[in-house]
């Protein structure tokens, strides 16, 4: 019985019943105190026994029906407001917790307080968060173990390849082994990016872009920077990973890149423009899928392993933004990274 009385339905129903009873009690009290029998008519004025009776004074505010109706209306409005607030509070807390969970799997657990339904929802949400975290950790440990175990036979194969007498065959086998090793390393980096979380802080995006451009220029690449932007609140490690992958992708296919920083009302836009071969319009979303590559070959020197853009988009979403690909006027590809201000 006590368990049923602790439900949200019981609380709201009891509140409405209490408000109705209170409104009627106020009306009865008013009728008892102010709404008595009307007073007798005054005697006719002297010298005019058949004259007009004087008009009685108009009823005051306290004696009319306006006061009890106003009290009832105010009581029911307050009860409705309080009931709606109690009904929406658990839903709002659950939505806020879900938003925090989408940004950080290690976010604080939802408080298991309030009526029975709210406590059950919070308990189920916390259990879901724990299971998701455990599954991701288990998957990471499993893939890390598989990657570690695969390195041993790969190392043995590499030693045996060195003993192959056919030079061209030995080079092709060595390239395949190098690609397999790179795929293992890229997969581990991808899993690390998914698990990584960092608190946001004020960061100088323009300084990061200029630093990446200078490093690329020291390696002989043609990378320039245009535009200006003010520092913004972001996650520096995820932002660096996102821009580094975009720059490496542009240099791999085009050999040149141009950063363009654009300040907008809603945030900052980073455009990375290249003059490479570009990507067909019907495949610009597919390239963000894991292990997807445009070319049919498996040459790691021409296309990597197909995880760079996947890591880039997931990093952008963790920052609260997104990334899209456009065609560069005159030929090439433009990667547009949009980041919110707050």
């Amino acid at each position: 019985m006590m368990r049923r009385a602790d439900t949200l339905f019981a609380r709201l129903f009891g509140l409405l019943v209490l408000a109705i009873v209170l409104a009627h009690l106020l009306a009865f009290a008013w009728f008892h105190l102010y709404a008595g029998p009307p007073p007798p008519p005054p005697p006719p004025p002297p010298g005019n026994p058949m004259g007009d009776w004087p008009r009685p004074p108009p009823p005051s505010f306290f004696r009319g029906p306006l006061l009890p109706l106003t009290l009832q209306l105010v009581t029911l409005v307050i009860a409705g407001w309080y009931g709606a607030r109690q009904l929406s509070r658990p839903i709002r807390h659950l939505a806020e917790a879900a938003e925090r969970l989408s940004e950080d799997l290690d976010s604080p657990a939802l408080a298991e307080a309030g009526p029975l339904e709210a406590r059950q929802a919070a308990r189920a949400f916390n259990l879901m968060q724990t299971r998701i975290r455990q599954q991701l950790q288990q998957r990471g440990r499993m893939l890390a173990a598989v990657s570690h175990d695969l390195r041993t036979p790969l190392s043995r194969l590499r030693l045996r390849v060195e003993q192959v007498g056919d030079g061209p065959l030995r080079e092709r086998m060595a390239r395949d082994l190098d690609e397999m090793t790179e795929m293992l390393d890229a997969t581990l980096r991808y899993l690390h990016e998914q698990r990584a979380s960092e608190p946001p802080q004020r960061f100088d995006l323009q300084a990061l872009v200029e630093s990446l451009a200078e490093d690329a220029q020291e390696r002989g690449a043609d990378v320039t920077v245009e535009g200006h932007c003010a520092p913004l609140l972001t996650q520096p490690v995820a932002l660096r990973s996102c821009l580094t992958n975009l720059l490496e992708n542009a240099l791999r296919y085009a050999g040149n890149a141009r950063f363009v920083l654009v300040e907008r009302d809603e945030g900052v836009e980073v455009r990375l423009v290249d003059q490479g071969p570009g990507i067909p319009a019907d495949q610009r979303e597919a390239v963000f899928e894991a292990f997807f590559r445009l070319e049919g070959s498996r040459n790691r020197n021409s296309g990597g392993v197909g995880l760079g853009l996947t890591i880039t988009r997931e990093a952008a979403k963790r920052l609260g933004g997104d990334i899209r690909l456009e065609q560069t006027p005159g030929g090439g590809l433009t990667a547009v990274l949009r980041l919110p201000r707050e």
Side-chain angles (χ1 to χ4, degrees):
M1 190 65 180
M2 293 296 296
R3 183 181 179 88
R4 293 181 179 178
D6 193 31
T7 62
L8 183 61
F9 170 80
R11 291 189 180 189
L12 294 178
F13 182 73
L15 177 65
L16 293 177
V17 170
L18 179 62
I20 294 173
V21 171
L22 181 60
H24 282 77
L25 288 178
L26 291 174
F28 290 148
W30 178 87
F31 279 111
H32 178 72
L33 295 176
Y34 297 102
N48 188 13
M50 301 301 293
D52 297 333
W53 293 88
R55 295 182 178 180
S60 65
F61 174 77
F62 291 98
R63 292 187 177 275
L66 185 61
L67 179 61
L69 295 178
T70 303
L71 291 176
Q72 286 184 336
L73 178 61
V74 171
T75 303
L76 294 176
V77 168
I78 293 176
W81 172 82
Y82 185 78
R85 187 169 178 265
Q86 292 295 316
L87 181 62
S88 62
R89 179 185 298 176
I91 301 176
R92 185 177 68 253
H93 290 172
L94 185 62
E96 293 173 352
E99 184 176 357
R100 292 194 302 268
L101 179 63
S102 65
E103 299 175 354
D104 183 12
L105 285 177
D106 297 325
S107 60
L110 185 60
E112 299 180 7
L116 178 63
E117 294 88 347
R119 296 198 303 271
Q120 289 177 342
R123 191 176 302 112
F125 182 87
N126 293 334
L127 180 60
M128 177 193 68
Q129 180 179 1
T130 302
R131 289 179 176 175
I132 292 176
R133 191 185 300 117
Q134 291 176 350
Q135 289 177 358
L136 290 178
Q137 292 174 354
Q138 182 179 6
R139 185 188 67 174
R141 289 193 299 266
M142 180 186 67
L143 291 178
V146 171
S147 175
H148 180 271
D149 293 341
L150 284 176
R151 290 178 187 275
T152 301
L154 285 176
S155 299
R156 290 198 299 264
L157 284 174
R158 191 180 301 276
L159 293 176
R160 293 171 182 174
V161 165
E162 297 297 331
Q163 302 175 2
V164 176
D166 190 346
L169 177 61
R170 183 175 61 250
E171 292 179 359
R172 290 195 298 270
M173 294 176 66
R175 284 198 301 267
D176 290 341
L177 288 175
D178 291 338
E179 183 181 1
M180 293 176 65
T181 303
E182 184 178 351
M183 290 182 66
L184 288 175
D185 295 338
T187 302
L188 291 178
R189 288 196 303 270
Y190 173 64
L191 294 174
H192 176 72
E193 290 286 342
Q194 283 188 322
R195 296 195 304 267
S197 61
E198 56 177 322
Q201 54 182 298
R202 189 67 58 179
F203 187 72
D204 192 346
L205 172 61
Q206 182 172 346
L208 172 62
V209 171
E210 293 175 352
S211 175
L212 293 176
E214 291 176 0
D215 293 341
Q217 291 170 2
E218 292 177 357
R219 300 194 303 267
D222 181 13
V223 181
T224 58
V225 179
E226 299 178 5
H228 302 278
C229 70
L232 73 161
L233 189 66
T234 186
Q235 299 176 3
V237 175
L239 181 58
R240 176 181 288 274
S241 174
C242 182
L243 293 177
T244 300
N245 287 328
L246 286 178
L247 180 58
E248 291 179 353
N249 189 72
L251 294 179
R252 177 184 295 117
Y253 287 98
N256 60 80
R258 175 165 51 94
F259 282 106
V260 180
L261 303 177
V262 182
E263 280 278 10
R264 300 193 181 278
D265 295 336
E266 64 276 8
V268 180
E269 187 175 275
V270 182
R271 305 177 69 90
L272 187 60
V273 185
D274 66 55
Q275 303 294 329
I279 298 177
D282 58 344
Q283 293 183 330
R284 290 174 190 163
E285 282 297 319
V287 295
F288 290 104
E289 298 177 2
F291 299 107
F292 180 88
R293 293 190 297 182
L294 291 175
E295 74 282 350
S297 67
R298 282 289 180 177
N299 187 355
R300 65 186 180 93
N301 293 324
S302 63
V305 298
L307 281 176
L309 289 178
T310 304
I311 296 175
T312 301
R313 167 161 281 185
E314 293 192 358
K317 289 184 176 180
R318 287 202 307 273
L319 298 173
D322 200 2
I323 184 172
R324 72 175 189 274
L325 301 178
E326 300 177 352
Q327 183 179 1
T328 302
L333 188 69
T334 299
V336 182
L337 171 64
R338 290 183 175 178
L339 301 172
R341 266 292 168 196
E342 299 296 341

